[in-house]
């Protein structure tokens, strides 16, 4: 088992009441039965096609052969299956051939696939994000030309941002675009690196959504435009011809090895056509749609890998006998499974707290995306503001913490966990990419503290604090949960104090002091947010206990104990972070580079 179907159902149906979405016209054709069919279909493809290739794709990583990247041969039928089953455009409208499925359900299905085989899962979901950009901002001609073969899985979609001298600093990209005599068509020249699925032989073509600067445009990010740049463009008679996009290399990584990461040279022979998406110089704004979707997706991927590692270590802990209980001194007594040792329980609780807390937040954010899509007026604004504020946490908390939770999985297996005979070493390696791509953790800290907290006069933060307070008030009315509610209330108050202190620094013009510890502020915000999610889960579990069957009672008891663990072991770390953030000692600013 690499995921919990019961936990997914708990989040969708008990915690979020996702069925209520069918009161909106866009989702009215769906109900629990159709949602379960989607989740079951994801479970089937994950179990039958993705999971069997997990280890093999890791061992047989992509290779650059004669200018093309060759991937595992099992990827071609997988990509076609995703296209054939309608996964790539499932959230789009009926008019576009989609199924109008909620993002929440699709993200839960994606979570299942990513837990089965992260590398294999990224191919179709990257295509979905790229196609969504074209359909959202592209001309009808671009939509008609490029999206049908992307939906079918015949063509791959990518996001091509990063350059050798411009990683997180997109204002410094140097890929250029010059207009041709044909309207909307430009000649592009430059290079892109770290492009996920940027070239491979499981599809007949690759379509890059590429950032570039039109010559003569504004400097910095204001001069960035967005282009559709296919590996092969459509030539005379509808045949595919080279578009002067050359694969210069494939990166060999510590994990996530089954998906190729390409280095692309664009326009080396002055023959690369790019097709402008939307208006000139507005490309970064367009691209942020895909980036924000991808950031939630990265959080889901991290939580999925962490979840798979958790269930692998849980199974091992139940089967592996070693030692005896501390209270038993007789060496003639049989050994006990290691799950009976308190420290093993601690490490399992840590994994469960991280992964299930993160998953709860990610499903909550997914529901906000659905509401922002179908609601109107104030309700729409509220959902969008909350989603914008929480996106940095939804990306960074699972990314950072699942590096630690997969490490705990390795530790539980001991020496066996350090070998390739068990999958946890692979999960440990694969988890490490997530704090890096789609914006490093530091970038998200700057985004949260430097922008999201203050934008719209701080309305998003105000709404967020209101949401937490409502949950606290609900929990205060339940005797068993009052201690947790009291603790979260104190943490929230102190977090608001820290926020006010940092904003005061910004108001005095001390910008470097204000933002120097943005990553720690993000960590504090993450702990508070996941503490809130665990209180929400605890309320639902406590209210569901009366009349529950034995299996469900065990499930709810597990939720309640894990909530207690999070508050006793994790949320208490917020106190140290707040002490640091309120300190006047700016050691990271004072430290000089020559002193290292």
């Amino acid at each position: 088992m690499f995921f919990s179907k019961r936990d997914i159902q708990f989040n969708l149906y008990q915690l979020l009441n996702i069925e209520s979405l069918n009161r909106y016209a866009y989702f009215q054709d769906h109900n629990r039965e159709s949602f379960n069919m989607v989740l079951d279909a994801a479970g089937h493809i994950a179990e039958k096609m993705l999971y069997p290739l997990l280890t093999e794709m890791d061992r047989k990583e992509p290779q650059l052969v004669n200018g093309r990247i060759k991937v595992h041969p099992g990827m071609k039928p997988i990509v076609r299956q995703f296209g054939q089953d309608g996964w790539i455009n499932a959230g789009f409208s009926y008019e576009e051939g989609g199924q109008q499925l909620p993002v929440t359900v699709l993200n839960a299905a994606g979570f299942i696939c990513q837990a089965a085989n992260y590398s294999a899962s990224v191919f179709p979901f990257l295509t979905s994000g790229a196609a969504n950009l074209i359909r959202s901002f592209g001309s009808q001609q671009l939509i008609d030309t490029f999206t049908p073969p992307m939906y079918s899985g015949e063509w791959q979609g990518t996001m091509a941002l990063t350059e050798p001298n411009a990683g997180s600093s997109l204002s410094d990209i140097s890929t250029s675009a010059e207009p041709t005599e044909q309207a909307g068509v430009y000649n592009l020249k430059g290079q892109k690196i770290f492009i996920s699925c940027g070239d491979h032989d499981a599809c007949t073509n690759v379509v890059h959504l590429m950032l570039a600067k039109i010559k003569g445009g504004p400097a910095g990010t204001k001069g960035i435009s967005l282009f559709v740049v296919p590996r092969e463009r459509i030539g005379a008679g509808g045949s595919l011809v080279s578009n002067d996009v050359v694969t210069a290399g494939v990166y060999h990584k510590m994990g996530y090895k089954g998906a190729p990461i390409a280095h692309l040279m664009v326009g080396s022979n002055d023959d690369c056509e790019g097709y402008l998406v939307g208006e000139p110089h507005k490309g970064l704004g367009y691209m942020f749609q895909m980036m924000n979707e991808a950031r939630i997706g990265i959080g889901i991927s991290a939580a999925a890998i962490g979840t798979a590692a958790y269930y692998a270590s849980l199974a091992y802990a139940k089967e592996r006998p070693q030692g005896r209980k501390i209270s038993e001194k007789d060496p003639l007594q049989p050994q006990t499974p290691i799950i009976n040792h308190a420290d093993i329980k601690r490490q399992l609780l840590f994994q469960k707290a991280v992964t299930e807390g993160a998953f709860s937040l990610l499903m909550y954010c997914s529901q906000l995306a659905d509401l922002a899509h179908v609601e109107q007026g104030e309700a729409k604004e509220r959902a969008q503001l909350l989603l914008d504020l929480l996106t940095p946490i939804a990306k960074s908390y699972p990314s950072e913490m699942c590096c630690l939770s997969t490490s705990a999985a390795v530790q539980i297996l001991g020496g066996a966990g350090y070998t390739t005979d068990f999958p946890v070493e692979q999960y440990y390696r694969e988890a490490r990419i997530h704090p890096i791509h789609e914006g490093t953790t530091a970038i998200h800290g700057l985004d949260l503290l430097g922008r999201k907290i203050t934008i719209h006069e701080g309305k998003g933060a105000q709404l967020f604090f209101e949401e937490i307070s409502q949950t606290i008030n609900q929990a205060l009315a339940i005797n068993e949960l009052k201690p947790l509610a009291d603790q979260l209330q104190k943490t929230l108050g102190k977090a608001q104090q820290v926020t006010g202190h940092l904003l005061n620094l910004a108001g005095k013009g001390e910008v470097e002091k204000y933002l120097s510890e943005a990553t720690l502020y993000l960590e504090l915000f993450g702990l508070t947010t996941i503490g809130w999610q665990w209180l929400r889960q605890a309320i639902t579990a406590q209210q569901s206990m009366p009349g529950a069957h034995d299996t469900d009672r065990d499930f709810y008891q597990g939720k309640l104990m894990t909530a207690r663990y999070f508050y006793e072991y994790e949320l208490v770390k917020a106190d140290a972070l707040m002490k640091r953030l309120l300190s006047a000692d700016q050691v990271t600013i004072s430290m000089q580079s020559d002193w290292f």
Side-chain angles (χ1 to χ4, degrees), residues 78-104:
I78 287 173
V79 171
R80 292 293 189 276
Q81 191 70 52
F82 272 94
Q84 178 183 315
D85 292 350
W87 289 103
I88 295 172
N89 61 335
F92 304 162
S93 69
Y94 294 141
E95 291 76 15
E96 299 166 283
Q99 301 169 43
Q100 297 186 185
L101 277 167
V103 169
T104 314

Side-chain angles (χ1 to χ4, degrees), residues 70 79 102 131 147 159 199 207 266 277 308 332 353 358 472 501 534 547:
K70 292 190 176 296
V79 171
T147 60
M159 177 167 53
D199 179 41
V207 180
V266 179
V277 176
L332 298 178
I472 289 171
H501 168 72
W534 270 113

